[in-house]
Amino acid sequence: MKDKNIAVIGVGNMGGAMLRGMLMKSWAKPEKFTAADADRSKLETLERELKVRVTNDNRNAAKGADLIILAVKPQIIDQVIDEIKDDLTPRQILISVAAGVKAEHILSRIGKSVPIVRAMPNISALVGESATAMSPGKHATKEHLDAAREVLESIGMVVEVHESLMDAVTGLSGTGPMYVFLIVEGMSDAGVKVGLSRDVANALSVQTLLGAAKMMKDTGKHPASLKDLVTSPGGTAISALHSLEKSGLKAMLIDAVETATRRSRVLGRHPHNSGDEED
Ligand SMILES: NC(=O)c1ccc[n+]([C@@H]2O[C@H](COP(=O)([O-])OP(=O)(O)OC[C@H]3O[C@@H](n4cnc5c(N)ncnc54)[C@H](OP(=O)(O)O)[C@@H]3O)[C@@H](O)[C@H]2O)c1
C-alpha cells in the first residue's frame, strides 16, 4: 500500500486510533493520508501531531484516495455516503467499520460497483493490537481483500469471516476492550480494597492481564488448561474461582456479548433506535 493514498472519514475514537496505528508502520507516510471529520479541533490535532493532510470536506477526501476508510457512526453513515458517492469509482476500495451496517446497504446507497470491505476492528488499533474481522462485499475481489488486509494488518491481527457473523464479532471483539478495561478496573479496585495503593494495584492488574494474554497467545493453549496451572489444590486461586463462579462471571460475559451483538443488529436496521430490541 506504500504508494496508495488513504482517506479516513470520521477520525473520532476508532478512525483516529486506526490512523495513529497505521502511521506506526514504516510503509505509512503521513503525506499519503487524509483525515476528514466534521470536528475541526480533531483535525487540527491530527495535522499537528501526525502531519497528515486534513479536511472537513468529505468529498475532497474521497476524491483523491485509493482506499477510503469510513469510520463515522452508523447513524450518519447514509448522510456521508450520499455526500461522497458521486466521487467514488470502482477503482477505489471502501472499508466501512460501522457497526451493523451491511455492505449491501452501502453498495445500494452508492449505486455503483465499488468494492466494499466491511471490517470490525477494535480500539487497540491505537497501539497496533486490534483484533479485526473483515468480510468482502459483492464487488470485492481477492486483490481488493488483499489490499484491505494489508492495511488492517498494520493495526493488528485480521481474520476473515462471513458477513453474517459481523454482528457477533462486534459483540465480542469490537466491543471487547471495554470488557477488559472494566475487569482490570475491578481488579485494581480490589487491590485497593485489600490494602494496595492505587498505583501499585493498577500496575499489577495491567501487567497481570498482559502476561496472561501473552501466555494464551504464545502457548496457543485453551484458557481452561492455563487456569489449571494457577489453581493448586486448596490454594487461593481455586477459592477465588469458586467465588467468581458463584457470582456468574462467565454468564455475565456471555450476556454482555449477546447484548452487544443484538445492539449491532439493531443499529444496522434502525440506526436511530436507542433501544436494543430486535424486531
Ligand atoms: N469506538 C470503538 O471502539 C469502535 C470499534 C469498532 C467499530 N467502531 C465503529 O467506528 C465508527 C465510529 O465510532 P467512534 O466510536 O469512533 O465514534 P466517534 O468517536 O463519534 O467518531 C466519529 C467521528 O465522525 C465525526 N463526524 C460526524 N459527522 C460527520 C460527517 N458528516 N462527516 C465526517 N465526520 C463526521 C464525528 O465528529 P463529531 O464528534 O463532531 O460528531 C467524530 O469525530 C462507528 O461506526 C462504530 O460502529 C467503533
Side-chain angles (χ1 to χ4, degrees):
M1 293 301 299
K2 68 179 187 320
D3 301 323
K4 307 285 186 201
N5 292 311
I6 298 178
V8 183
I9 300 183
V11 284
N13 292 319
M14 194 62 237
M18 291 180 79
L19 191 57
R20 288 176 188 275
M22 286 186 286
L23 279 161
M24 293 190 319
K25 296 291 153 164
S26 57
W27 61 261
K29 301 281 176 263
E31 59 271 20
K32 293 286 171 193
F33 287 80
T34 302
D37 202 283
D39 181 348
R40 279 180 185 277
S41 68
K42 287 193 190 97
L43 293 177
E44 280 163 17
T45 305
L46 292 173
E47 186 177 34
R48 188 176 62 252
E49 293 180 2
L50 305 180
K51 317 279 180 250
V52 296
R53 200 170 79 82
V54 299
T55 174
N56 65 350
D57 179 346
N58 295 332
R59 291 190 64 176
N60 187 281
K63 239 182 238 171
D66 300 297
L67 187 142
I68 300 155
I69 296 174
L70 216 45
V72 292
K73 290 277 186 200
Q75 290 84 345
I76 61 152
I77 198 166
D78 282 356
Q79 178 196 324
V80 172
I81 293 169
D82 289 348
E83 235 179 284
I84 65 174
K85 64 183 178 189
D86 290 343
D87 299 296
L88 296 179
T89 73
R91 62 153 200 85
Q92 295 172 302
I93 301 171
L94 185 65
I95 298 181
S96 164
V97 302
V101 183
K102 294 191 171 64
E104 189 57 40
H105 172 82
I106 298 173
L107 198 58
S108 69
R109 194 109 195 161
I110 293 173
K112 297 180 215 171
S113 49
V114 174
I116 294 167
V117 175
R118 239 185 105 180
M120 183 45 59
N122 69 30
I123 201 72
S124 304
L126 185 64
V127 291
E129 292 290 352
S130 172
T132 304
M134 66 172 188
S135 63
K138 195 169 160 188
H139 303 291
T141 63
K142 180 174 179 320
E143 194 188 329
H144 299 128
L145 262 189
D146 286 347
R149 180 181 279 279
E150 191 182 340
V151 168
L152 295 170
E153 277 184 342
S154 73
I155 56 162
M157 65 85 91
V158 178
V159 295
E160 190 181 331
V161 299
H162 191 272
E163 192 179 6
S164 60
L165 294 172
M166 284 304 255
D167 293 314
V169 168
T170 306
L172 179 64
S173 53
T175 314
M178 185 279 289
Y179 310 139
V180 178
F181 296 141
L182 207 63
I183 287 170
V184 173
E185 187 194 3
M187 284 173 65
S188 175
D189 284 349
V192 173
K193 177 99 199 285
V194 293
L196 301 174
S197 72
R198 175 61 72 186
D199 286 354
V200 169
N202 251 339
L204 290 175
S205 302
V206 171
Q207 180 59 32
T208 299
L209 175 95
L210 201 66
K214 190 162 161 43
M215 258 180 96
M216 288 185 275
K217 195 168 179 189
D218 289 359
T219 64
K221 287 194 176 155
H222 192 284
S225 78
L226 293 174
K227 186 186 75 190
D228 286 349
L229 299 177
V230 192
T231 45
S232 45
T236 57
I238 194 68
S239 298
L241 185 141
H242 185 194
S243 167
L244 289 171
E245 291 291 10
K246 273 197 288 192
S247 306
L249 176 69
K250 277 194 279 187
M252 275 192 264
L253 287 169
I254 293 168
D255 276 349
V257 172
E258 266 189 344
T259 303
T261 302
R262 265 199 311 275
R263 178 66 187 146
S264 176
R265 276 192 213 116
V266 170
L267 275 176
R269 285 197 213 128
H270 311 289
H272 298 286
N273 180 322
S274 55
D276 292 336
E277 294 307 311
E278 292 181 71
D279 42 28

